[in-house]
Amino acid sequence: MADILVVENLTKTFDSSNKSLTVLDDVSFSVAEGSGISIVGPSGSGKTTLLGLCAGLDVATSGVVSLAGIKLNALDEDDRAYVRNQHIGFIFQNFQLLPTLTALENVTVPLELRGSKDYKDKAKDLLDRVGLADRMDHYPSQLSGGEQQRVAMARAFITSPRVLFADEPTGNLDEETANKVTELLFDLNKQEGTTLILVTHNMELAAYTNRILRLKGGKVISDNPTNGAV
Ligand SMILES: Nc1ncnc2c1ncn2[C@@H]1O[C@H](COP(=O)(O)OP(=O)(O)OP(=O)(O)O)[C@@H](O)[C@H]1O
Ligand SMILES: [Mg+2]
C-alpha cells in the first residue's frame, strides 16, 4: 500500500533568549495507508511535537512532511488548515473541546467548516456510537474526562479522516474508561479504514498497532513491527 505519511530528516528547534533547544533531530519514517503506528518514548522526547508537525499544526525547522502526497512545509497556515480539515482527525492529550459549544456542536464544527449540510445526523450517529446519545446537549464542563474524550473522538471521526492522530487518548482516564475508549478507537478505525498514528505510554495499547517507533531525546532509536494489527 502507498505511504500516506512520509517524514524525511525532520528537525525542530525552539529558540529562546540565548540558547536553542533541538527537540526533534533528523527524524525519518513513513506510514503505509490504512496501517497503525505507535510513537512511544519518555516524557519530553518530542512525541507531541512530532505529531503536531505531521498533522500540520506547526512547521519544522528543516526536513519534509508529506501527507497524502502534499508537502506541508511549502504551505501557509490557511492552506495547512485546509489540508487538516480535508484529511486529518486529531485527538489531543487534553481533549481541547470548545467550552462554549455543546457536545453535539463540538462534533459538528469540522463538517460545518467544510460547508457540508446534513452534518447533524452524522454527528448524532457518532455520539450515539461513543455512548453519549443522552449527553449531546451538555457542555464540556458538564461532562467527565472520559465523556469529553469520547466527544473528542466523535469530532475526530466526523470527517471520515484518512489519517487519525491521537496523542495519549487514554492518558487521563481510569482503566475501565480507558479500555472502553481504546476499543472504540480501534473499532472506528477499522470500520472507517483510517490510518492511525498514536502516541502512548501504554505498551499494551501500542501492541495493537502494526509498528512501534521509539523516540529518545528527539531521535528515533528504534522502529519495529509488532505482532498485533489495528
Ligand atoms: N513551544 C515550545 N517552546 C520551547 N520548548 C518546547 C515547546 N514545545 C515543546 N517544547 C519542548 O520540547 C520537548 C519535547 O516536548 P513534547 O511535548 O514533544 O514531549 P512529549 O514526548 O510529548 O512529552 P510527554 O510524554 O510529557 O507528553 C520538551 O523538552 C518541551 O519542553
Ligand atoms: Mg506529549
Side-chain angles (χ1 to χ4, degrees), residues 12 20 39 46 57 72 81-82 97 99 106 129 167 181 206 213 217 230:
K12 179 71 177 176
S20 109
I39 299 170
L57 292 165
L72 297 184
Y82 179 78
L97 298 176
N106 265 285
R129 277 155 77 187
D167 194 354
V181 165
L213 184 89
V230 174

Side-chain angles (χ1 to χ4, degrees), residues 21-134:
L21 182 69
T22 299
V23 170
L24 291 173
D25 188 1
D26 201 23
V27 170
S28 299
F29 65 100
S30 41
V31 181
E33 178 142 36
S35 71
I37 182 169
S38 294
I39 299 170
V40 305
S43 179
S45 57
K47 304 181 298 295
T48 296
T49 307
L50 178 59
L51 218 56
L53 294 178
C54 292
L57 292 165
D58 194 5
V59 283
T61 309
S62 63
V64 178
V65 176
S66 298
L67 188 100
I70 304 160
K71 285 200 167 72
L72 297 184
N73 23 336
L75 305 181
D76 64 19
E77 169 53 32
D78 283 352
D79 286 341
R80 278 187 281 118
Y82 179 78
V83 171
R84 286 200 299 273
N85 184 252
Q86 293 300 305
H87 298 294
I88 291 173
F90 208 107
I91 302 173
F92 295 91
Q93 209 163 359
N94 51 1
F95 322 139
Q96 296 207 13
L97 298 176
L98 295 166
T100 57
L101 301 183
T102 64
L104 181 64
E105 288 163 350
N106 265 285
V107 176
T108 60
V109 165
L111 276 189
E112 282 181 78
L113 284 174
R114 274 189 180 186
S116 306
K117 294 214 165 77
D118 309 320
Y119 48 79
K120 267 206 175 143
D121 287 344
K122 190 162 185 207
K124 284 181 181 166
D125 175 54
L126 269 170
L127 281 166
D128 189 27
R129 277 155 77 187
V130 300
L132 293 175
D134 54 347

